Amino acid sequence: MSRPASPLPHPGAGAPPSSFEEATYRKVSKRLVPLLMLCYVVAYLDRVNVGFAKLQMTTDLNLSDAVYGLGAGIFFLGYFVFEIPSNVILHRVGARVWIARIMASWGVVSMLTMFVTTPTMFYVMRFLLGLAEAGFFPGIILYLTYWYPANRRGRMTTWFMTAIALSGVIGGPLSGYILKTFNGMNGWHGWQWLFLLEGIPSILVGVLVFFVLDDRIAKATWLTDDERALLERNIAAEDAEKHDMPIGAVLSSARVWLMSLIYFSFVMGLYGVSFWLPTIIKATGVSDSLLIGLLSAIPFAAAVIAMVLVARSADRSRERRWHVALPALAGAIGLVLSVAWAHNTVLAMTALTLATMGILTTLPLFWSLPTSFLAGTGAAAGIAMINSLGNLAGFLSPYAVGWLKQATAANDSGMYMLAAFMILGGLLAVSVPARLVNK
């Protein structure tokens, strides 16, 4: 039973947190973060497992690299269409119901992709998958602002987004195993089994979210009254320094458009690697699907470590811009080296590991920038707009890499293009005024 609230001291901006405050946030994190990470692991797996399906699917269905790239990227057009409305709905009806709905619907669409037989069907199912998943990621970013102030949110966002890397660590070997082991079973190709088996967890986790997730601090019965009072006071103090802009003002804000361009640049790198990593590894001379899956886990495993360490440094120093820009530069260097060392598997894997570490580290820390000045419904719309515009790169990136690969018969031009975008994103991040984001 919750005990009555008692007056709690409210430390000033420069005061160290009390042991009670630290214990409270540890309690919150143990409750929320593992579940949110699990959600994103299955979400990201369903989004990018098409990269492994490509190893068999393009041959079975006679799809060119350009067709595959367009199909992989068209997901983000559907994502773009419903992103802002979905996030505004989440802010109004609550995360529990809306996140559960999102996860169940994309799990069903992902499973149905196993019945694709033509390029047009491939495009339609990828578009529908984007519609189904729209609102999930920005919804979670918004949800974290309900629980954590800025000086803690960077670390929590990073833990949540390590799910991208964990999805690569788990999904690579798992996808390779399914492709190799299930191919031909029941008369289905391995890639059909891949979509079927990896779609089921999304539905199951969606049901779990419906029964376990709490919409807001006030509804968390597992917190004491004192704990709820402390958490709500910290959030209220931060929100008091923000301006809840009308949706129209958010959509026309120069700051929000700058954030969208920065995120667009980083997402170019992310999905260029995510959708093409198995193909790039195969091009170094590795032909076994299971071995490709195992090797693809290495860059993502290294990225988990880099993401946590850099986020810890950013929260400790309360410096955001350079903690975004320097990993972006490292990602660009890794992409360039992956071209130079393309014919040596060990060296190419080293370069791809550096690239993946740099690219994935930029993403959670980037979100500490816009959430430093957006609040309320304005935050719901702004975060969704940044994510939807940024994720248009998810459409352009795999398609451009595929088109360049088909036009030049090599991966070189595509990797150089991705490296250029990573450098651009880093430079734009440094251009953001420090007083706006270093909190």
Side-chain angles (χ1 to χ4, degrees):
M1 177 181 296
S2 297
R3 55 192 176 86
S6 58
L8 294 172
H10 179 53
S18 65
S19 58
F20 174 74
E21 181 174 352
E22 290 293 348
T24 300
Y25 277 107
R26 280 197 300 271
K27 184 177 180 180
V28 170
S29 298
K30 288 178 181 178
R31 173 82 179 199
L32 298 183
V33 174
L35 176 59
L36 298 180
M37 288 178 64
L38 176 61
C39 290
Y40 203 25
V41 165
V42 297
Y44 202 77
L45 188 60
D46 281 344
R47 183 184 298 188
V48 303
N49 59 7
V50 69
F52 283 93
K54 175 186 180 293
L55 298 175
Q56 294 178 353
M57 189 180 188
T58 51
T59 300
D60 292 338
L61 302 182
N62 195 28
L63 305 179
S64 69
D65 282 333
V67 168
Y68 163 75
L70 178 58
I74 210 168
F75 165 95
F76 295 97
L77 295 185
Y79 198 80
F80 177 80
V81 168
F82 198 48
E83 185 85 325
I84 294 177
S86 179
N87 222 36
V88 172
I89 292 172
L90 181 146
H91 183 63
R92 291 176 178 169
V93 307
R96 181 178 66 91
V97 170
W98 200 244
I99 294 298
R101 191 284 304 165
I102 289 173
M103 297 191 68
S105 60
W106 93 55
V108 170
V109 174
S110 181
M111 292 168 66
L112 290 176
T113 306
M114 68 180 290
F115 297 113
V116 163
T117 57
T118 66
T120 300
M121 291 178 66
F122 181 48
Y123 298 153
V124 169
M125 295 309 297
R126 291 293 296 177
F127 181 82
L128 291 177
L129 186 64
L131 278 181
E133 193 178 322
F136 171 76
F137 177 81
I140 299 298
I141 297 298
L142 178 65
Y143 182 71
L144 290 174
T145 69
Y146 299 159
W147 293 82
Y148 296 96
N151 65 310
R152 294 179 182 272
R153 200 160 52 241
R155 203 177 320 163
M156 292 307 104
T157 304
T158 294
W159 275 112
F160 166 61
M161 293 190 69
T162 56
I164 297 178
L166 289 174
S167 181
V169 173
I170 298 168
L174 176 63
S175 297
Y177 174 80
I178 292 173
L179 287 177
K180 184 174 183 177
T181 305
F182 285 78
N183 191 33
M185 189 177 295
N186 199 42
W188 293 344
H189 300 290
W191 61 267
Q192 292 178 296
W193 281 105
L194 181 67
F195 287 125
L196 175 64
L197 296 178
E198 293 187 356
I200 294 172
S202 295
I203 299 173
L204 298 178
V205 176
V207 173
L208 178 65
V209 165
F210 182 80
F211 287 104
V212 173
L213 196 67
D214 295 292
D215 290 329
R216 296 273 188 163
I217 295 169
K219 294 185 177 181
T221 57
W222 44 273
L223 292 171
T224 67
D225 291 341
D226 281 351
E227 290 167 341
R228 278 194 294 271
L230 180 143
L231 296 171
E232 290 181 328
R233 182 162 52 248
N234 285 351
I235 295 299
E238 179 173 271
D239 286 347
E241 299 176 1
K242 301 177 182 179
H243 177 56
D244 187 1
M245 295 185 290
I247 293 178
V250 169
L251 301 184
S252 61
S253 168
R255 287 178 181 174
V256 173
W257 279 94
L258 173 61
M259 295 295 162
S260 300
L261 181 55
I262 296 172
Y263 194 53
F264 181 95
S265 300
F266 294 154
V267 173
M268 284 292 291
L270 172 65
Y271 287 112
V273 169
S274 296
F275 285 127
W276 288 95
L277 182 60
T279 301
I280 295 171
I281 294 174
K282 184 176 182 179
T284 67
V286 181
S287 58
D288 183 79
S289 296
L290 179 57
L291 182 55
I292 291 173
L294 292 171
L295 288 174
S296 71
I298 295 173
F300 290 104
V304 172
I305 299 171
M307 292 168 77
V308 172
L309 292 179
V310 176
R312 185 178 299 171
S313 172
D315 276 356
R316 185 172 56 247
S317 65
R318 299 199 178 190
E319 196 289 321
R320 311 293 174 188
R321 303 177 308 154
W322 287 102
H323 281 82
V324 172
L326 292 179
L329 177 60
I333 293 172
L335 289 168
V336 171
L337 289 177
S338 73
V339 172
W341 297 337
H343 301 295
N344 183 303
T345 301
V346 174
L347 292 178
M349 287 302 305
T350 301
L352 290 168
T353 298
L354 175 62
T356 305
M357 289 169 67
I359 292 168
L360 264 64
T361 298
T362 63
L363 297 172
L365 291 175
F366 161 79
W367 284 107
S368 65
L369 307 183
T371 55
S372 294
F373 62 85
L374 292 170
T377 303
I383 291 170
M385 175 180 167
I386 292 165
N387 193 60
S388 60
L389 290 175
N391 271 294
L392 286 177
F395 167 73
L396 176 62
S397 181
Y399 177 66
V401 171
W403 184 85
L404 288 169
K405 182 177 185 294
Q406 187 167 307
T408 63
N411 293 315
D412 299 22
S413 299
M415 295 303 104
Y416 291 143
M417 176 194 68
L418 300 180
F421 272 103
M422 292 302 299
I423 293 171
L424 173 63
L427 292 175
L428 291 174
V430 174
S431 75
V432 178
R435 60 177 173 76
L436 190 67
V437 296
N438 288 344
K439 299 178 181 180

